[in-house]
Amino acid sequence: MKFLNNYSNRELNIWAELILDILVSFYFFPKIFPLIIDGQLYSDALVGIIATSIILAIVYSIVVFGAINALTKREEKDERDYIYELKSYRISYYLSHGGILGIICLIVFNALYQENIGLLTPPKIAMILLIIALLSSTGKSLTQLFNYRKNI
């Protein structure tokens, strides 16, 4: 537990968020690839995988973030922290809005040209939104860690 003293509360929370993103990715992607290969991406199995991924993320967040905040001392934010947060939120915003714009363009393209480039069912849209959320959160965490480590 002495290694926790080398990092601030803020950095530990960022690392925990990044590990959460990786953990959910390692659970989620190997489960959906067989569904894509078998052509069963529209089945109820996808709903179960998405629900399990969300529950896993919630339980991890409660345990790990609770432990970090209980074991380390919270620091006051200064101007530098606010600047780093704004930069990371900007990256997260761009990634999430780019992904949502991609979904909207796919829906419009399917409607205009009556092409069926992948039927967008509610479980498939939920899967795409979960992937967008993972990318957005990972981008935010990596940007914050880069900025904190760059100025040490």
Side-chain angles (χ1 to χ4, degrees), residues 97-115:
H97 278 53
I100 292 171
L101 181 65
I103 292 174
I104 291 171
C105 289
L106 186 61
I107 291 171
V108 169
F109 182 77
N110 281 341
L112 288 178
Y113 296 106
Q114 276 94 29
E115 299 276 337

Side-chain angles (χ1 to χ4, degrees), residues 16-26 133-134 136-139 141:
E17 185 178 351
L18 188 60
I19 291 170
L20 171 65
D21 294 338
I22 293 168
L23 181 70
V24 169
S25 296
F26 280 153
L134 279 171
S136 176
S137 177
T138 303
S141 297

